[in-house]
Amino acid sequence: MGNVVAIVGRPNVGKSTLFNRLTQTRQAIVDKEAGTTRDRHYGKVEWCGKEFSLIDTGGWVVNSEDVFEEEINKQVQIAVDEADIILFAVDIMNGLTDLDDAVAKIMRRTKKPVIVVANKADNYESHSLGAEFYRLGLGDPFCVSAMNGSCTGDLLDKVISLFADRQTEEPEEELPRIAVVGRPNAGKSSLINAFIGEERHIVTEIAGTTRDSIYTKYNKFGLNFYLVDTAGIRKKGKVEEDLEYYSVIRSIRAIEGADVCVLMIDATRGIESQDLNIFSIIQKNRKGLVVCVNKWDLVDGKNQQVINSYTNAIRERMAPFTDFPILFISALTKQRIYKVLETCKAVYDNRKKRIPTARLNETMLPIIENTPPPAWKGKYIKIKYITQLTDTYIPAFVFFCNLPQWIKEPYKRFLENKIRENWDFSGTPVNILMKEK
């Protein structure tokens, strides 16, 4: 399970700039995929071969522009509850403010490592101003400039040195790991309870440290699987339910520990930005996806037309990735509960699916002949051969061609759609790679 690092601080100290600076390494690559920019406050950072998740809590607070002390206290509290390490951003040019003191007060109570990041130290003369932040009683301040990146490497070295090398026990068996995620009140607990039911055979509960996800092994209806449950979800947070973004931060760990995510949507409320945030985190982590529209028993006039309009609305909001199963369920009446598990298993199997190279070329090459990639500056692009890579996390196909750099995103998407039309990869992301032959 990954480590989670959170950035906190009062408004306008450059939290988002710092976030963008630190996640840059990955985002430059990840964000070529359309649709991944929905959620600007969660990213992956890779440094010296270690990877961690970075959360910008300020971005999730409803009115982060207004300097409401309680709002800021709320986000700080969330960071303290949910993160492993906290970066406390302050502004070296403005010096200490009352709000900084208020945040520091909460920080001093936590047992978790806190790093004071004195931002906006754009030149070395300003570094001497950082001394006043010793007053916060939180150790040495790191003077950095998120704007031009100076000294951010030292900061990342420090962050990585703080990670405990904790080995979460991963489940030994190769079984699907399923996480149920969604907004508060979408019915996650009801679904999990319906899964567990009475005829349950809970074999083992494999837990890492309590902060991590817990894998509970079930075998029900003849299916074997692990339910990923973030330990934190069990205790009601100290923070009131209205904090919707709290649920997103909560979901991050569960999503990272799972193979297939069940995204619960409330049929009575439709798709909300919250659902899209969680969806984009599932996509960023390249996980399998099953969308469940819950509380279907409460919807009036459930004819095929209603179902179709619902399905279309969901796929439209989540485009360009639209090839995933959508189930209409009711956790309360246990309607189609078994189908959810069956579908998760199918999505899990799709991730492992291998297509023989001969069949791939037989099917795809004629399609490519008919609609070749657009020529670029008078040069024709020829795709000669296709193969699927082995031992990849999600299905990955390599297309060997003469000018891989000229093949643009829309054409890759066209190829992906054709592969999906011919083989069932429903619910799992697919990687399309271009290589020079």
Side-chain angles (χ1 to χ4, degrees):
M1 290 301 291
N3 288 289
V4 177
V5 177
I7 304 177
V8 300
R10 61 183 177 79
N12 298 334
V13 291
K15 293 192 293 292
S16 299
T17 319
L18 182 64
F19 174 84
N20 291 342
R21 167 67 61 187
L22 298 183
T23 50
Q24 202 73 51
T25 45
R26 272 296 286 272
Q27 244 169 7
I29 308 167
V30 175
D31 272 348
K32 278 198 191 127
E33 299 164 32
T36 38
T37 46
R38 283 195 181 113
D39 160 33
R40 296 186 306 283
H41 315 300
Y42 162 83
K44 295 267 190 186
V45 181
E46 211 175 276
W47 185 252
C48 298
K50 294 204 172 166
E51 193 182 66
F52 60 90
S53 302
L54 187 67
I55 299 172
D56 170 15
T57 50
W60 259 309
V61 165
V62 199
N63 27 18
S64 53
E65 286 314 302
D66 316 340
V67 192
F68 286 143
E69 202 165 324
E70 61 174 325
E71 277 298 336
I72 291 169
N73 286 352
K74 270 185 203 168
Q75 29 157 314
V76 172
Q77 201 51 59
I78 287 174
V80 168
D81 287 350
E82 294 302 319
D84 300 306
I85 295 174
I86 297 151
L87 302 182
F88 174 19
V90 289
D91 180 342
I92 205 163
M93 286 319 191
N94 276 357
L96 267 180
T97 66
D98 299 352
L99 258 172
D100 292 327
D101 277 333
V103 175
K105 205 175 267 173
I106 304 177
M107 290 297 159
R108 286 195 290 270
R109 287 190 216 121
T110 174
K111 301 266 189 297
K112 298 191 178 165
V114 176
I115 303 175
V116 178
V117 182
N119 188 20
K120 307 193 186 176
D122 299 337
N123 51 25
Y124 279 110
E125 287 78 74
S126 55
H127 279 223
S128 56
L129 303 172
E132 84 164 299
F133 295 109
Y134 279 105
R135 259 182 43 206
L136 295 170
L138 291 166
D140 302 341
F142 271 76
C143 299
V144 305
S145 165
M147 205 61 176
N148 61 33
S150 76
C151 299
T152 46
D154 303 349
L155 174 63
L156 284 169
D157 287 341
K158 174 73 176 160
V159 169
I160 280 177
S161 70
L162 290 172
F163 288 151
D165 288 326
R166 40 170 198 188
Q167 289 301 313
T168 312
E169 302 172 46
E170 287 280 313
E172 302 83 63
E173 295 169 81
E174 271 290 292
L175 290 181
R177 292 177 296 184
I178 299 172
V180 180
V181 293
R183 285 185 306 100
N185 256 346
K188 299 187 289 290
S189 313
S190 319
L191 181 67
I192 290 171
N193 291 344
F195 279 161
I196 298 169
E198 276 322 293
E199 68 282 16
R200 62 181 171 202
H201 318 282
I202 300 181
V203 191
T204 45
E205 201 167 83
I206 302 176
T209 46
T210 43
R211 302 290 329 142
D212 285 341
S213 290
I214 288 179
Y215 298 102
T216 313
K217 182 175 170 186
Y218 293 101
N219 88 34
K220 294 202 51 184
F221 316 117
L223 289 176
N224 261 341
F225 60 99
Y226 284 105
L227 259 188
V228 182
D229 185 5
T230 320
I233 294 179
R234 301 207 157 158
K235 65 176 193 341
K236 267 275 179 270
K238 300 182 201 65
V239 188
E240 307 80 88
E241 271 300 327
D242 64 66
L243 293 183
E244 289 242 314
Y245 52 84
Y246 197 50
S247 65
V248 178
I249 295 179
R250 276 273 153 95
S251 311
I252 288 173
R253 271 178 212 273
I255 291 171
E256 288 178 353
D259 295 313
V260 179
C261 299
V262 177
L263 175 57
M264 302 281 284
I265 291 176
D266 185 335
T268 55
R269 299 181 60 170
I271 286 204
E272 302 182 320
S273 62
Q274 200 64 22
D275 301 315
L276 293 178
N277 271 339
I278 296 177
F279 169 72
S280 79
I281 293 172
I282 295 173
Q283 270 216 293
K284 255 182 207 169
N285 282 294
R286 319 303 296 255
K287 304 295 184 185
L289 171 69
V290 176
V291 171
C292 288
V293 182
N294 189 23
K295 309 193 185 173
W296 196 236
D297 49 323
L298 302 177
V299 175
D300 302 327
K302 293 182 282 255
N303 54 18
Q304 196 54 43
Q305 207 174 354
V306 176
I307 290 182
N308 290 349
S309 67
Y310 241 95
T311 309
N312 294 340
I314 291 173
R315 293 203 197 281
E316 240 163 64
R317 293 291 297 276
M318 296 190 177
F321 177 50
T322 53
D323 186 15
F324 49 83
I326 298 177
L327 300 174
F328 294 88
I329 67 164
S330 162
L332 203 61
T333 63
K334 298 208 162 114
Q335 182 185 12
R336 298 194 195 90
I337 289 296
Y338 173 50
K339 189 87 178 114
V340 176
L341 288 179
E342 254 188 349
T343 311
C344 287
K345 179 80 175 82
V347 167
Y348 179 77
D349 293 341
N350 285 347
R351 294 165 62 102
K352 303 252 179 286
K353 186 177 290 185
R354 308 263 323 116
I355 296 173
T357 305
R359 295 256 322 275
L360 250 180
N361 286 290
E362 235 164 71
T363 311
M364 293 300 293
L365 286 176
I367 293 175
I368 294 168
E369 294 265 278
N370 283 340
T371 19
W376 180 264
K377 297 188 176 165
K379 288 196 170 67
Y380 288 100
I381 302 169
K382 292 188 182 66
I383 295 177
K384 290 286 188 344
Y385 179 73
I386 309 150
T387 179
Q388 184 179 357
L389 295 178
T390 49
D391 292 334
T392 49
Y393 185 58
I394 56 172
F397 298 92
V398 183
F399 290 75
F400 290 96
C401 59
N402 52 352
L403 300 163
Q405 66 277 27
W406 300 132
I407 293 190
K408 297 282 183 282
E409 201 50 53
Y411 193 75
K412 285 187 189 168
R413 221 158 28 223
F414 163 78
L415 294 175
E416 180 184 328
N417 290 342
K418 289 297 171 200
I419 288 176
R420 288 180 186 280
E421 276 169 34
N422 287 287
W423 294 280
D424 179 15
F425 281 108
S426 174
T428 175
V430 169
N431 236 342
I432 302 288
L433 307 164
M434 298 292 164
K435 279 224 172 100
E436 201 150 350
K437 59 175 193 295

